[in-house]
Amino acid sequence: MAASNGRTKRQRGEIETLPSGSLRVKVYAGIDPISGKRHYLTEVIPAGRTAAEKARTRLLAQVDERRNPRTRATLDQLGRIISEAWRDLD
């Protein structure tokens, strides 16, 4: 798809072929506010390029609508962070 300035628009997300023949769909979802690291949504699809494209579209829609989890932190990690912050308030 060409943009109005003549450049082509860069495709968001990537589809990788795994050694098993399955496809891994990976979409950037922003920075994790807890760890400060990059956060990606991933999904593994058994062989099938069209199914992988549909999964990529679905994951991109989740990111665009902000329906994805903002962090990969576990409840234990979040509990530790909250208890440390609570201690700092005292």
Side-chain angles (χ1 to χ4, degrees):
M1 171 177 239
S4 60
N5 61 3
R7 293 185 187 176
T8 57
K9 190 172 180 180
R10 187 172 152 198
Q11 183 175 351
R12 293 170 51 203
E14 62 181 284
I15 300 173
E16 301 173 287
T17 303
L18 300 174
S20 65
S22 296
L23 301 171
R24 179 188 299 136
V25 181
K26 187 174 175 182
V27 173
Y28 178 71
I31 300 292
D32 185 324
I34 304 295
S35 67
K37 296 180 180 178
R38 293 178 181 168
H39 180 65
Y40 291 89
L41 298 180
T42 59
E43 189 172 326
V44 176
I45 307 293
R49 192 76 178 172
T50 56
E53 288 292 340
K54 286 180 183 180
R56 187 179 68 82
T57 302
R58 185 176 68 258
L59 292 176
L60 285 170
Q62 286 180 13
V63 170
D64 292 343
E65 295 172 8
R66 297 184 183 194
R67 291 186 291 135
N68 60 301
R70 293 291 317 220
T71 183
R72 287 185 168 222
T74 63
L75 289 176
D76 186 45
Q77 290 169 329
L78 291 174
R80 250 185 274 129
I81 291 168
I82 291 170
S83 64
E84 288 173 9
W86 194 258
R87 259 186 267 133
D88 290 344
L89 290 176
D90 291 339

